[in-house]
Amino acid sequence: MVAFGGMQLPLLLLLLNAAFGSAYHWFNWQYEVGCQSDTFIAPTDEAGVVDFLNKEFPKQSLIKVVGNGHGFGNLTTCINKGVTNRTSHIVSLANLKKFQINKDMTVTVGAGWDVYDLVNKLKEHNLSFNYLGAMRVQNIVGAISTGTHGTGQKITNMATQVVALRVVDARGVLKTIDEHNNPEELKAFRINLGALGLITEVTLKVQPTHLLKKTTKVLNATTDYKKLYTELADLYKEHDRMTVWGPHFNWDTKAEDWAIEPTFFASWWEPTNYTGVRNCTLNYCANGCGDCIKDYVCYDETSDAVSAPPEGICSSQFYAEIEHFFPMEQFVDVAVNYTKFQQAQTPRMKGYENEKMIFQFRALKGDDSYMSPANIYNLGPENSGVFGVLEIDWMQTVNHWGTLYNNQEFAYEFQNEFGAMYNARSHWNKMSPNDPKHALSVFPKLPEFLKVQERQDPNCQFVNEFLANQLGIERCRSALKL
């Protein structure tokens, strides 16, 4: 759910001429997270990126690359000018638009591509991504770098499609990293959190375009949560690639309490030999638009069947969101206890502009990227390597700051309550609280990642407060005076 859909980068950057001088302001998609830099830089090509970083390294300038701002937290914000004595730059790589089809079913693309435009470009060549998220509004490198994913117990996140990339470190040194010459490093760079340098291009696996059948089925809700979630767990045994949109709760303004809706829905996808009209794009219910709680079947090219283009995203309102990953074997216990914990927060929600709360469930195959929320490094022999993914969205009746901040505080509480209990990992870009001890527990390769980070960024030019605190990068806390 995005406010500006296909809006291009210049519209995200507001140039303010204030009394204290010019500054560039960047905001995320719902404008509740932003930062102010001294300058906005958009290099014309890769050589310009190298030259820029080479010149800024002796100055130890602060550098933050921005894409389309599709995030809920502070992962991608710059450090505000004036907080330190360093110059702060916002950098766009929107001009890097290389597109090359390779013979080994891969494509090499520049960092300037948005997922939506790249999907359409691939369609021209009868190609599509192996895996996509539910939306296509992100920049391609931003989506990969933060762990964007779809759903499927045999499907991994988008970053696992990366077989090579080119990155420029803080000194302005350009390096190619690929699965043949430096495969272990590639595990660090796939989900890099923007902390390892400026990625100028990526090479990704693709596949021939094929069709999927999408089936949506209405399900009955109950406040017997054990029964409800056991039925969903059984449904996941039947369907590999499935998203459950629910249960839904509505805010009763008189009772000041949540009331569960009687029905919700699930969608699942499967290959098909269908040759008729492709029609999934006519129904954007995967993103909560329109009359969604109904049975229907549609057929479409894989990208259009599993994800919505910008025009299919129908809400621009403030809302808080968490998304946690946990071993699939714990699905029922996690779902029951997260729901009960949320309900226990209700007394503190009275007096705010609440409208709706939506639970969403997906599944994802684990992978070996160092900082993937679905990394398999600390799983035990009892685990299959498949993760359940639980998302909770707190919606509002109006864009009220107090309600947003109140709900965001509730969102932060879930990791403290359940992180250690369920080996739960938070999506990096969705209300992930600062907890370096827990981060080390669920990301066992964090020390190796930080060694790469220090090599790539010795002066902490790519690190912001969130990264320093979340990953426990003490040298950067000191360098940035945090």
Side-chain angles (χ1 to χ4, degrees):
M1 300 177 182
V2 171
F4 39 75
M7 187 180 293
Q8 298 300 308
L9 181 67
L11 295 182
L12 303 181
L13 299 168
L14 306 180
L15 177 59
L16 302 181
N17 295 308
F20 52 83
S22 296
Y24 282 88
H25 282 241
W26 174 88
F27 299 94
N28 73 337
W29 68 274
Q30 59 178 6
Y31 297 103
E32 106 287 5
V33 172
C35 63
Q36 181 187 75
S37 73
D38 292 286
T39 66
F40 164 61
I41 306 294
T44 57
D45 52 26
E46 187 179 72
V49 176
V50 170
D51 183 61
F52 168 69
L53 290 176
N54 181 264
K55 290 179 179 178
E56 296 302 318
F57 182 69
K59 307 173 189 176
Q60 299 188 21
S61 301
L62 300 171
I63 296 160
K64 184 55 64 176
V65 177
V66 297
N68 290 344
H70 188 247
F72 293 80
N74 292 311
L75 173 63
T76 55
T77 56
C78 60
I79 294 178
N80 283 310
K81 59 175 293 187
V83 173
T84 74
N85 59 3
R86 303 192 195 187
T87 301
S88 176
H89 299 291
I90 290 174
V91 179
S92 166
L93 300 181
N95 291 323
L96 278 60
K97 285 293 186 71
K98 177 179 180 178
F99 180 84
Q100 173 183 304
I101 299 175
N102 307 314
K103 294 181 180 180
D104 58 352
M105 287 304 293
T106 64
V107 295
T108 300
V109 301
W113 282 95
D114 290 344
V115 176
Y116 173 68
D117 295 328
L118 192 51
V119 164
N120 289 337
K121 186 70 173 180
L122 290 173
K123 285 180 181 179
E124 294 175 7
H125 300 275
N126 199 34
L127 296 171
S128 62
F129 287 114
N130 295 329
Y131 319 125
L132 273 175
M135 302 176 186
R136 286 181 246 166
V137 299
Q138 308 98 324
N139 167 269
I140 183 62
V141 173
I144 289 166
S145 299
T146 57
T148 297
H149 64 93
T151 185
Q153 295 173 68
K154 298 177 183 178
I155 291 175
T156 47
N157 64 49
M158 287 183 66
T160 61
Q161 297 170 104
V162 176
V163 298
L165 55 82
R166 288 166 68 84
V167 61
V168 187
D169 69 14
R171 299 175 180 84
V173 176
L174 178 65
K175 183 177 182 178
T176 297
I177 298 171
D178 62 55
E179 60 182 359
H180 301 296
N181 297 310
N182 27 34
E184 197 64 27
E185 275 192 291
L186 187 61
K187 296 176 184 178
F189 277 88
R190 277 178 171 147
I191 297 180
N192 59 80
L193 309 179
L196 304 185
L198 274 63
I199 295 174
T200 59
E201 66 179 45
V202 292
T203 299
L204 307 115
K205 299 175 185 176
V206 291
Q207 62 183 345
T209 293
H210 63 279
L211 297 184
L212 292 177
K213 175 185 177 182
K214 175 184 175 183
T215 302
T216 296
K217 181 75 174 176
V218 175
L219 305 175
N220 294 319
T222 173
T223 53
D224 182 345
Y225 299 129
K226 184 67 176 289
K227 179 178 183 292
L228 172 65
Y229 293 127
T230 298
E231 291 175 353
L232 293 186
D234 290 341
L235 203 55
Y236 270 106
K237 293 175 183 177
E238 298 179 27
H239 304 289
D240 167 67
R241 194 170 187 174
M242 184 175 77
T243 295
V244 178
W245 295 87
H248 299 175
F249 295 83
N250 293 317
W251 184 251
D252 185 328
T253 56
K254 291 184 178 180
E256 291 195 288
D257 200 355
W258 293 108
I260 193 168
E261 292 186 11
T263 56
F264 58 105
F265 64 100
S267 297
W268 54 85
W269 294 262
E270 54 195 333
T272 179
N273 293 322
Y274 176 81
T275 58
V277 176
R278 301 180 183 185
N279 57 352
C280 286
T281 54
L282 300 178
N283 190 315
Y284 294 113
C285 279
N287 294 278
C289 304
D291 181 15
C292 303
I293 304 179
K294 62 182 180 181
D295 294 344
Y296 69 92
V297 174
C298 66
Y299 303 84
D300 224 313
E301 178 270 332
T302 180
S303 298
D304 288 330
V306 303
S307 69
E311 59 267 30
I313 298 168
C314 59
S315 175
S316 61
Q317 69 192 87
F318 283 177
Y319 71 101
E321 177 178 282
I322 63 167
E323 186 174 286
H324 286 192
F325 300 71
F326 54 88
M328 192 67 174
E329 292 77 12
Q330 298 175 310
F331 181 93
V332 176
D333 284 348
V334 168
V336 168
N337 287 323
Y338 271 64
T339 305
K340 289 182 176 179
F341 185 72
Q342 193 290 319
Q343 296 292 298
Q345 295 174 324
T346 302
R348 291 181 288 151
M349 305 185 78
K350 295 181 178 181
Y352 289 91
E353 303 293 336
N354 304 301
E355 179 184 26
K356 186 183 289 289
M357 182 181 58
I358 300 174
F359 283 70
Q360 177 191 343
F361 295 92
R362 286 179 280 181
L364 194 67
K365 183 180 178 181
D367 65 89
D368 61 0
S369 299
Y370 285 179
M371 303 310 293
S372 169
N375 80 79
I376 58 176
Y377 291 110
N378 74 344
L379 296 184
E382 72 281 5
N383 298 127
S384 63
V386 175
F387 287 82
V389 187
L390 167 59
E391 177 181 313
I392 305 176
D393 300 328
W394 289 263
M395 319 299 290
Q396 313 179 195
T397 57
V398 295
N399 286 347
H400 181 262
W401 293 101
T403 301
L404 176 67
Y405 294 146
N406 191 54
N407 290 344
Q408 286 179 341
E409 288 303 312
F410 295 141
Y412 284 129
E413 293 176 2
F414 284 81
Q415 183 169 292
N416 291 335
E417 186 74 15
F418 299 116
M421 182 186 303
Y422 293 123
N423 193 8
R425 307 91 181 276
S426 178
H427 192 295
W428 287 110
N429 221 7
K430 295 182 180 180
M431 308 309 299
S432 178
N434 292 322
D435 189 344
K437 182 178 179 180
H438 182 66
L440 181 59
S441 172
V442 296
F443 299 99
K445 291 292 186 178
L446 176 58
E448 287 88 341
F449 180 84
L450 293 184
K451 289 178 183 178
V452 177
Q453 201 284 321
E454 184 169 9
R455 184 195 73 208
Q456 292 286 113
D457 184 22
N459 297 324
C460 301
Q461 293 172 260
F462 304 136
V463 174
N464 62 10
E465 184 175 3
F466 173 88
L467 285 168
N469 290 335
Q470 177 69 266
L471 304 182
I473 315 178
E474 292 304 318
R475 67 182 184 85
C476 290
R477 287 184 54 81
S478 176
L480 300 173
K481 296 180 173 58
L482 300 176

